[in-house]
Amino acid sequence: MASAPAHADVKAGVDAWAQGNFKAAVDEWRPLAIKGDADAQFNLAQAYKLGRGVPTDLALAEEWYRKAALQGHVPAQDNYGLALFQNGRRADAVPWLEKSAARGEPRAQLVYGTMLFNGDGVAKDWVRAYALLTRSSAAGLAQGSQTLAQMDLYIPLDVRQKGIALARQYETDARYAAAPEVAGPRSIRPAELPASSVAGRDVTPPGIAAARPVRSAASAPATSAPPSPSAGSITLSFGGKGWRVQFGAFRDDGNARRLWQQLSGRVGALAGLQPYFVRAGAITRLQAGTVRSSGDAARICADVRAKAAGTPCVPIAP
């Protein structure tokens, strides 16, 4: 009986938030958060993270996420792990990210998968890395798709195949459900993350730069603009000089060559660039280059998207 008024007040804050009255929402949640209500703590963290009803304060957001996470609040756990990673506390972030990735949270899969690829604070495991990035990409996270395309250029085919098989298991085991921006009472049980049968090759690969993860629909408002490519971009280095841009992967080499003919005739930014038809197992990746910087590659991709809508374009680091 004592919890009912608290939940009603949390809901009153959620209603105020939905109406754009953020200060009123914060005023509803703050006393409840101080008393230990996990939903109010998570919602207050969201307010500080987004700067709604209060000044943006990422340190306070992290602390309120922590309080709710320690009470088992699943969306708070997801956001707390990401906040720890963003603040450079990677050892502390690992157990939270791993649990979130096991549930199927696409941002955690991106970040934890990248760490597994690099051996960054965890044992290197390319199969798990590829499996997690496959799931992050399938969930619609654009940065997950970009990073997966970069991994495709480096990870051997047999390892990628094992990663795809493991990704299917992750899909079956996942317990993730996208949370609203602010929350009422919820209960989501985590799933264990199975280990892969093959770890990363015993070589030192070119690194994927650690990045600030982007927000997914689980935490970002539907009306917010997507993050810019420079905010948390992840790149994979490979042999060769200069930057390239990649337009896709094709089972039929002829399709890659036909697409290049179409693009080179329509997109002025491609003038003077050399096409590369990169074989990777049974597929051909269409790339063009080289250019001097990531900025040049990004501008080329912007021109491609403007003049050939629907054609993917991903900068590839040297």
Side-chain angles (χ1 to χ4, degrees):
M1 293 179 62
S3 66
H7 290 159
D9 288 339
V10 170
K11 184 181 184 304
V14 172
D15 292 341
W17 185 274
Q19 296 167 8
N21 194 347
F22 304 124
K23 184 179 184 305
V26 169
D27 290 342
E28 291 281 357
W29 296 328
R30 188 182 301 281
L32 299 172
I34 292 171
K35 291 178 182 178
D37 184 285
D39 288 313
Q41 290 169 343
F42 169 76
N43 293 348
L44 194 57
Q46 290 287 82
Y48 278 113
K49 175 183 175 181
L50 300 172
R52 295 181 178 177
V54 289
T56 301
D57 191 324
L58 299 183
L60 277 176
E62 180 187 315
E63 180 60 19
W64 284 115
Y65 284 139
R66 184 186 71 84
K67 291 178 183 294
L70 291 175
Q71 296 193 70
H73 195 282
V74 172
Q77 292 175 345
D78 294 337
N79 282 274
Y80 182 51
L82 293 167
L84 289 171
F85 178 85
Q86 289 175 319
N87 291 334
R89 296 166 58 190
R90 298 187 181 182
D92 294 334
V94 165
W96 299 98
L97 291 171
E98 186 170 15
K99 290 178 181 178
S100 295
R103 286 191 290 268
E105 212 290 338
R107 299 167 302 166
Q109 290 174 329
L110 166 67
V111 175
Y112 188 57
T114 300
M115 295 176 76
L116 286 168
F117 181 90
N118 289 335
D120 181 9
V122 293
K124 188 186 303 178
D125 189 333
W126 288 1
V127 173
R128 292 180 80 191
Y130 197 81
L132 290 173
L133 265 297
T134 297
R135 294 304 311 143
S136 179
S137 174
L141 192 64
Q143 196 174 0
S145 298
Q146 293 167 5
T147 305
L148 186 66
Q150 294 167 31
M151 285 185 177
D152 282 342
L153 295 171
Y154 196 86
I155 296 179
L157 177 62
D158 63 322
V159 177
R160 297 201 306 271
Q161 290 172 336
K162 291 180 175 70
I164 291 170
L166 186 60
R168 296 192 186 102
Q169 182 179 344
Y170 287 168
E171 182 179 13
T172 300
D173 293 343
R175 299 291 184 272
Y176 174 71
E181 187 174 78
V182 291
R186 66 185 65 253
S187 176
I188 302 176
R189 294 181 60 83
E192 293 300 322
L193 185 67
S196 69
S197 58
V198 180
R201 299 289 176 89
D202 188 20
V203 296
T204 302
I208 299 179
R212 296 178 64 87
V214 297
R215 290 183 296 167
S216 73
S219 64
T223 56
S224 65
S228 66
S230 62
S233 60
I234 295 178
T235 59
L236 174 64
S237 297
F238 68 104
K241 297 180 180 180
W243 284 75
R244 299 182 186 180
V245 292
Q246 179 170 300
F247 307 110
F250 305 84
R251 293 195 177 276
D252 184 343
D253 180 84
N255 289 338
R257 296 180 184 278
R258 280 189 288 275
L259 178 60
W260 172 250
Q261 291 178 349
Q262 295 170 7
L263 291 176
S264 59
R266 295 172 59 186
V267 182
L270 298 177
L273 296 187
Q274 176 182 340
Y276 294 88
F277 302 95
V278 181
R279 295 292 297 177
I283 63 175
T284 299
R285 291 178 171 80
L286 172 59
Q287 300 175 0
T290 58
V291 295
R292 291 179 298 177
S293 68
S294 60
D296 289 339
R299 282 189 288 274
I300 290 170
C301 282
D303 199 26
V304 170
R305 286 189 287 269
K307 296 177 181 177
T311 301
C313 185
V314 180
I316 304 296

